[in-house]
Amino acid sequence: MVSKGPLLRLLTTVNRRRMKLLVVIAFVAYVASAVWGNFVNIRSIQENGEQKIENKIEEAVAPLREKIRDLEKRKRNVEHWIGHENFELINHDVVEPLYIEVDQIYHLASPASPPNYMYNPIKTLKTNTIGTLNMLGLAKRVGARLLLASTSEVYGDPEVHPQSEDYWGHVNPIGPRACYDEGKRVAETMCYAYMKQEGVEVRVARIFNTFGPRMHMNDGRVVSNFILQALQGEPLTVYGSGSQTRAFQYVSDLVNGLVALMNSNVSSPVNLGNPEEHTILEFAQLIKNLVGSGSEIQFLSEAQDDPQRRKPDIQKAKLMLGWEPVVPLEEGLNKAIHYFRKELEYQANNQYIPKPKPARIKKGRTRHN
């Protein structure tokens, strides 16, 4: 007669082995079903969804292609200077410190078109704050003079017209344009803090709308959008009623103003812009006529915090710099249109047709208040 203790132990051992076997069988069955399921799904995708996969790949690669084209275009913007003994191109992010020897610093670093600066507002803020601190630090180290490219956006949606340098502005500090508006305002504050505390020589140019050859074709600004749309026979998109006003200066006038300001003794802010004021609707019609386009004008919903009136008071620049714009608007637009036509031909030969860039905002995390 077998005792109960050994019998129970034997049964327990058998049950354990049986359970282990069942677990192994179940695991193998699970893996097999998963593999088979994936195999079936893959075949299904191959048979029914190859186009979708190609589309997804294209969506992922397209932005990279656009960045490469942008880099190629920027290189072409300066290729005529390559080889000059006084020219050197350094690829550097001003958010990181820069150690070079210079006499003058033109600090123009920042996205300037609303679609670009709204896309990555944090980077825009870093460029205008940390980047400005780094450039001021460089100016302090080497004893250089710094010119800050500020903007008419420091005036926001102005309640004073035209805008002179002593106007403090009317800015929404938490709106979609705030990353740029407030970024430039604090950059100005930093300049004058370094001037008062560290003795750094600073110049501040408040730049109004500027256009000309070599501007980015699809950066989303008014001039580039209208010219590109007119040349391609597409509707000219006007946000709101088109009654909002802007003043446009040609790029060579701006460059002359910047150089004059840098080499002057004027340390307070100076407006650089064209006081010739036009409504956006008038401007759209003017470009249509100059291009000879049959494009329609399409009205879209008004952009948030879009300034309703913008016109510089340039009496200070006239008096203290002897500067004012000299290139007539139509002459400058014809030069820009000619450049855009050539660019479109170049891009067509390289199988890339640029499109005007609408305002976009980089997606962020969902937050709960």
Side-chain angles (χ1 to χ4, degrees):
M1 185 175 180
V2 181
S3 65
K4 291 182 178 180
L7 180 60
L8 287 172
R9 283 195 296 272
L10 179 62
L11 291 172
T12 302
T13 301
V14 171
N15 287 337
R16 285 178 180 170
R17 288 176 179 172
R18 186 177 295 169
M19 287 298 296
K20 287 180 180 178
L21 180 60
L22 288 173
V23 169
V24 170
I25 292 171
F27 178 73
V28 171
Y30 171 77
V31 172
S33 65
V35 171
W36 176 253
N38 287 339
F39 176 71
V40 171
N41 288 338
I42 289 171
R43 287 197 61 184
S44 175
I45 291 172
Q46 288 176 333
E47 292 171 359
N48 303 316
E50 288 183 353
Q51 189 61 44
K52 291 183 179 179
I53 293 174
E54 291 177 5
N55 290 342
K56 289 293 184 184
I57 293 172
E58 181 60 28
E59 287 177 10
V61 172
L64 297 177
R65 285 206 191 103
E66 188 172 346
K67 286 184 181 295
I68 291 170
R69 292 190 189 100
D70 287 350
L71 288 171
E72 290 174 349
K73 181 180 184 303
R74 291 178 192 133
K75 287 169 65 177
R76 286 192 292 116
N77 279 354
V78 297
E79 65 183 2
H80 55 292
W81 287 110
I82 294 173
H84 193 284
E85 61 181 354
N86 294 328
F87 178 79
E88 181 181 2
L89 179 63
I90 301 173
N91 186 8
H92 182 82
D93 186 344
V94 294
V95 172
E96 303 298 328
L98 179 63
Y99 301 97
I100 56 175
E101 294 294 324
V102 292
D103 299 313
Q104 294 181 341
I105 302 168
Y106 288 81
H107 177 34
L108 283 78
S110 177
S113 74
N116 287 337
Y117 65 65
M118 290 181 191
Y119 174 67
N120 194 339
I122 294 174
K123 181 64 175 179
T124 300
L125 281 166
K126 283 184 175 180
T127 301
N128 284 300
T129 54
I130 299 172
T132 300
L133 281 175
N134 284 334
M135 292 301 99
L136 286 165
L138 172 61
K140 177 186 172 184
R141 283 193 303 273
V142 300
R145 178 179 292 178
L146 178 139
L147 183 147
L148 171 68
S150 188
T151 171
S152 58
E153 293 293 335
V154 299
Y155 301 126
D157 187 6
E159 297 174 317
V160 171
H161 192 78
Q163 296 82 53
S164 62
E165 292 85 352
D166 57 3
Y167 176 52
W168 290 0
H170 178 228
V171 177
N172 178 359
I174 59 173
R177 305 169 75 101
C179 59
Y180 184 65
D181 300 5
E182 298 289 25
K184 287 296 187 182
R185 285 163 71 94
V186 76
E188 289 192 14
T189 302
M190 289 174 176
C191 285
Y192 292 111
Y194 263 77
M195 183 181 75
K196 293 171 184 175
Q197 184 172 321
E198 305 294 344
V200 174
E201 290 189 47
V202 299
R203 304 290 183 264
V204 174
R206 290 179 178 166
I207 301 171
F208 284 68
N209 293 67
T210 306
F211 71 95
R214 299 196 180 96
M215 71 186 301
H216 202 295
M217 292 184 69
N218 61 339
D219 71 352
R221 280 183 272 196
V222 173
V223 177
S224 53
N225 273 3
F226 284 173
I227 294 178
L228 192 56
Q229 288 165 339
L231 287 172
Q232 294 178 332
E234 297 182 353
L236 275 63
T237 51
V238 172
Y239 294 89
S241 65
S243 60
Q244 60 270 46
T245 66
R246 296 293 184 271
F248 299 91
Q249 68 178 333
Y250 190 66
V251 61
S252 62
D253 285 331
L254 173 62
V255 171
N256 291 336
L258 292 174
V259 173
L261 177 59
M262 172 66 90
N263 295 305
S264 73
N265 294 320
V266 182
S267 59
S268 54
V270 177
N271 287 338
L272 294 178
N274 191 331
E276 184 181 329
E277 187 180 12
H278 294 272
T279 69
I280 296 298
L281 193 55
E282 290 172 350
F283 196 66
Q285 191 61 54
L286 175 60
I287 288 179
K288 270 188 59 178
N289 295 338
L290 292 175
V291 171
S293 171
S295 297
E296 299 178 351
I297 295 178
Q298 181 181 14
F299 294 91
L300 303 178
S301 58
E302 187 175 357
Q304 183 181 346
D305 295 340
D306 190 26
Q308 294 305 299
R309 301 192 72 184
R310 186 63 62 74
K311 175 183 176 179
D313 181 336
I314 61 169
Q315 289 304 311
K316 185 174 181 179
K318 285 182 177 180
L319 180 64
M320 306 189 78
L321 304 180
W323 175 90
E324 64 180 313
V326 296
V327 179
L329 178 61
E330 290 194 16
E331 179 183 330
L333 285 174
N334 280 325
K335 291 180 180 180
I337 290 167
H338 175 74
Y339 169 78
F340 272 49
R341 276 202 175 100
K342 293 293 184 183
E343 276 297 296
L344 282 174
E345 291 173 8
Y346 177 88
Q347 300 290 4
N349 292 334
N350 287 272
Q351 320 225 326
Y352 169 64
I353 304 298
K355 296 294 182 184
K357 186 181 295 182
R360 55 179 183 164
I361 298 176
K362 194 171 187 179
K363 293 181 180 178
R365 299 177 184 172
T366 302
R367 297 191 180 275
H368 301 282
N369 296 325

